């Protein structure tokens, strides 16, 4: 039996075009001799649909479209299509009104509906908010073209992630994969909408390998690709045989249709796309896809970036150029009296390397205007952070005006380190429709820039999505000007300012933040690891105080397992302190 894996990029809510993608994949699958087509979780509506599924008309539309897909499927092909299915028992039992389901379509009919059994509620996942859990093992028998039956077990995303033998414990009371093995299936398929984080594909394959070897059963894993809001989906659909060997893998970060052959009780070797093992290459590919899809799915064709001559705006500009083409990325230079000549030259050189247009807007007259307006109110006060922030807010207003006037998507350029400690300005540099690198720590931003330059010098600019004609591959080629990489980072809001006037060195800060944000360590644990107590306690206070800012930030493209986005749910008004244990007040007598 030939099985087609459709690694699709659906747009959330665009049921008609998502259905068209499925049917186009079906035609290609039949052309390659496939008997069964597999699509990702909720492929008909896109994952995650969030509160759209609370609308009965939306669920009804999916039911109608599902029937139409069944009728339009090519002869001789069966398909598993991700959909939302009504729960007929909801009114009488108090259960949730819908299921996260896979529909088996064949011969013009919806032959069966299989419901997701394990509903995750951690990090960015909210399945239990919307869906009722399935209660029965999902499996069916499908006759091959020659009439030989294959018994296929169906799991949906999280259903595969509860193997106590792999994790050492169970997060849910049931293991759907183990139950399918008990039911005697020949093959397990997993239809997923699994978001990307750094290194996640290696973890997936280790987990699937454990399951295939434990149960002696091959597994086909199908994943969504593309970006929906803050979530990036890497695809990387993969098939492992009974021995746990990878026999097929689809390319990362791009749609694909791959056919794998099931014969004599096992999956046979097929096309294996290489696994991306370079962290910088992986993050670069994810962010380029994230920007491209966010712009496309929101209807933007061009972007605007504030170019400061610093490293953060440089990498965001390069990512945007790769995602949309450099001609569609406007770099705006907004020098102040405190801006150094080299920063302006560095910004101009970057745009020249990319082949992107620029516009220069001097902000000195606007700064003077603010000084005049506040002359009386601010009299007899010292200049300080307020005046510095006004510069950022002037720039933010100019960028928003350009975005409004020309319909460009404004990309925010703040990194994760700054977002964590609040080293950013509300209604200033935080302005934008998408925060491109707000899940990338400052030290990783430097690593990305150096990696990008190495790729250019090696003549691999075209591979990165950058226009070869603008970046010439030769021994001296560079994309990020060297001076941007070696100068001390600075917001240049006052004479001689550098980031380290306000923050510890980024290598120290990023390690503290990794322990605090990613590893959930307490201040005491971080200090015990060798960090200065005063630096740690100040960092913890800054992270806590910046929650209000993060709540007002644009969507953050997620590349780590702990991003400042939909999976970060901290209170703003809170007295919780990580820096010292709570002390009880003595009772009043």
């Amino acid at each position: 039996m030939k099985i087609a894996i459709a690694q699709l990029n659906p747009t959330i809510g665009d049921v008609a075009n998502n259905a068209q993608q499925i049917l186009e994949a079906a035609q290609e699958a039949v052309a390659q001799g496939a008997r069964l087509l597999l699509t990702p979780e909720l492929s008909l509506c896109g994952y995650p649909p969030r509160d759209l599924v609370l609308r009965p008309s939306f669920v009804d539309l999916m039911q109608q479209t599902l029937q139409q897909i069944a009728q339009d499927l090519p002869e001789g092909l069966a398909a598993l299509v991700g959909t939302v299915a009504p729960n007929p028992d909801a009114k009488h039992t108090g259960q949730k009104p819908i299921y996260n389901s896979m529909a088996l379509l064949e011969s013009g009919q919806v032959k069966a509906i299989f419901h997701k059994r394990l509903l995750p509620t951690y990090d960015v996942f909210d399945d239990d908010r919307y869906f009722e859990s399935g209660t029965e093992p999902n499996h069916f028998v499908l006759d091959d073209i020659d009439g030989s039956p294959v018994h296929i077990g169906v799991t949906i995303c999280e259903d595969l992630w509860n193997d106590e033998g792999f994790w050492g414990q169970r997060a849910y009371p049931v293991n759907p994969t183990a139950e399918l093995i008990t039911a005697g299936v020949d093959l397990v398929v997993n239809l997923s909408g699994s978001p990307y984080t750094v290194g996640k594909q290696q973890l997936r394959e280790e987990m699937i390998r454990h399951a295939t070897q434990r149960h002696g059963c091959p597994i086909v894993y199908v994943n969504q690709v593309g970006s929906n809001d803050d979530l990036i989906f890497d695809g990387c659909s993969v098939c492992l045989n009974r021995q746990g060997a990878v026999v097929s893998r689809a390319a990362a970060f791009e749609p694909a249709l791959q056919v794998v052959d099931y014969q004599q009780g096992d999956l046979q070797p097929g096309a294996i796309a290489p696994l991306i093992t370079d962290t910088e290459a992986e993050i670069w590919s994810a962010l380029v896809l994230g920007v491209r899809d966010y712009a496309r799915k929101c209807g933007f064709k061009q972007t605007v970036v504030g170019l400061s001559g610093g490293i953060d705006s440089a990498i965001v500009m390069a990512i945007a150029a790769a995602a949309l083409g450099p001609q569609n990325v406007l770099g705006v230079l907004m020098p102040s009296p405190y801006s150094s000549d080299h920063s302006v030259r560095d910004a101009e050189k970057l745009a020249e390397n990319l082949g992107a247009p620029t516009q220069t807007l001097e902000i000195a007259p606007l700064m003077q205007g603010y000084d005049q307006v506040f002359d009386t109110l601010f009299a007899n006060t010292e200049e300080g952070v307020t005046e510095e922030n006004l510069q950022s807010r002037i720039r933010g207003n100019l960028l928003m005006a350009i975005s409004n006037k020309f319909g460009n998507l404004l990309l925010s350029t703040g990194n994760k380190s700054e977002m964590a400690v609040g080293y950013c300005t509300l209604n200033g540099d935080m302005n934008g429709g998408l925060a491109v690198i707000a899940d990338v720590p400052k030290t990783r931003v430097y690593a990305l820039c150096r990696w990008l330059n190495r790729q250019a010098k090696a003549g691999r600019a075209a591979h990165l999505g950058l226009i070869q004609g603008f970046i010439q591959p030769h021994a001296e080629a560079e994309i990020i000007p060297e001076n941007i990489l070696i100068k001390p980072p600075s917001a240049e809001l006052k004479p001689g300012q550098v980031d380290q006037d306000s923050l510890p060195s980024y290598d120290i800060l990023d390690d503290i933040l990794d322990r605090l944000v990613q590893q959930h360590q307490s201040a005491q644990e971080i200090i015990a690891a060798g960090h200065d107590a005063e630096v740690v306690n100040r960092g913890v206070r800054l992270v806590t105080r910046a929650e209000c800012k993060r709540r007002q930030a644009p969507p953050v493209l997620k590349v780590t397992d702990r991003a400042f986005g939909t999976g970060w749910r901290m209170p703003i008004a809170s007295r919780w302190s990580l820096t010292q244990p709570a002390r009880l007040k003595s009772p009043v007598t």
Side-chain angles (χ1 to χ4, degrees), residues 1-4 34-38 77-80 140 142 152:
M1 177 181 289
K2 289 187 176 181
I3 302 170
R35 175 70 176 93
L36 175 64
L37 174 69
L38 305 178
L77 181 72
L80 284 170
F140 66 101
L142 184 66
I152 300 171

Side-chain angles (χ1 to χ4, degrees), residues 288-304:
V288 168
L289 175 60
V291 171
R292 179 185 297 131
D293 259 17
Y294 188 88
R296 177 177 65 85
K297 293 178 180 181
C298 292
F300 293 101
K301 295 182 179 179
Q302 296 180 316
T303 64
V304 58

Side-chain angles (χ1 to χ4, degrees), residues 146-164:
D146 63 3
S148 56
V150 179
H151 192 182
I152 300 171
V154 178
T155 58
I156 303 174
C157 204
E158 188 80 358
D159 293 348
L160 190 65
W161 290 72
N162 192 40
D163 190 322
E164 68 282 0

Side-chain angles (χ1 to χ4, degrees), residues 15 18-19 22 39-47 49 53 58-67 69 79-87 98-105 110 112-116 119 127 131-132 156 191 224:
V15 175
N18 294 342
I22 293 168
T39 71
E41 176 181 15
L42 294 180
S43 53
L44 189 53
C45 63
Y47 184 85
V53 297
F58 183 60
V59 176
D60 291 344
L61 176 62
M62 276 186 277
Q63 299 308 299
Q64 297 164 15
T65 307
L66 199 64
Q67 295 288 343
I69 294 174
L80 284 170
V81 174
T83 188
V84 174
N87 177 6
I98 52 175
Y99 291 102
N100 180 338
S101 305
M102 296 300 302
L104 175 63
L105 313 181
V110 178
I113 299 286
F114 305 116
H115 305 313
K116 186 174 182 178
L119 303 178
D127 284 33
F131 302 114
E132 185 64 28
I156 303 174
L191 303 316
Q224 176 176 295

Side-chain angles (χ1 to χ4, degrees), residues 230-429:
D230 56 328
L231 302 184
I232 300 166
F233 298 84
D234 52 329
C236 288
S237 302
V238 67
C239 305
L240 279 74
N241 65 15
R242 298 166 65 95
Q243 292 74 41
V246 172
V247 296
S248 176
R249 184 190 297 119
F253 303 109
E254 60 185 59
L257 188 128
Q258 202 137 322
V259 175
V260 65
D261 200 3
Y262 176 84
Q263 289 184 24
Q264 299 175 340
D266 209 351
L267 295 170
Q268 304 305 306
I272 302 177
L275 190 64
I276 302 176
T277 56
D278 186 309
T279 299
E280 277 67 49
E282 197 179 308
I283 293 175
W284 169 267
S285 300
L287 294 177
V288 168
L289 175 60
V291 171
R292 179 185 297 131
D293 259 17
Y294 188 88
R296 177 177 65 85
K297 293 178 180 181
C298 292
F300 293 101
K301 295 182 179 179
Q302 296 180 316
T303 64
V304 58
V305 178
L307 275 188
S308 67
I311 195 165
D312 297 324
S313 62
I315 193 64
V316 170
M317 188 81 171
I319 290 167
L324 301 174
Q327 72 279 6
N328 294 315
V329 184
L330 175 63
V332 181
L333 288 70
M334 296 168 287
S336 77
Y338 306 125
S339 299
S340 59
D341 291 340
H342 64 75
S343 289
V344 174
R345 290 195 303 270
D346 293 342
E348 291 173 339
K349 179 60 176 173
L350 170 74
E352 179 185 340
N353 290 349
L354 292 170
T358 62
Q359 179 70 50
T360 300
L361 304 174
E362 300 277 354
I363 70 168
L366 297 173
M367 293 170 61
Q368 293 169 1
Y370 273 94
D371 288 342
Q372 292 172 4
V373 169
F374 286 120
D375 183 55
T376 301
L377 185 61
F378 286 3
N380 302 318
T381 64
E382 293 185 6
E383 287 194 6
V385 173
T386 299
E387 286 73 20
E388 294 176 20
N389 286 344
L390 277 175
Q391 297 173 55
S392 179
R393 290 183 171 120
I394 289 169
R395 291 178 171 125
N397 278 336
L398 293 175
L399 292 170
M400 284 304 303
I402 293 170
S403 174
N404 291 162
K405 176 63 72 172
F406 302 110
N408 294 0
L409 170 64
L410 174 57
L411 300 178
S412 173
T413 61
N415 61 64
K416 188 173 189 176
S417 309
E418 295 170 348
M419 185 75 77
V421 297
Y423 195 66
C424 47
T425 305
L426 282 173
N427 306 311
D429 58 324

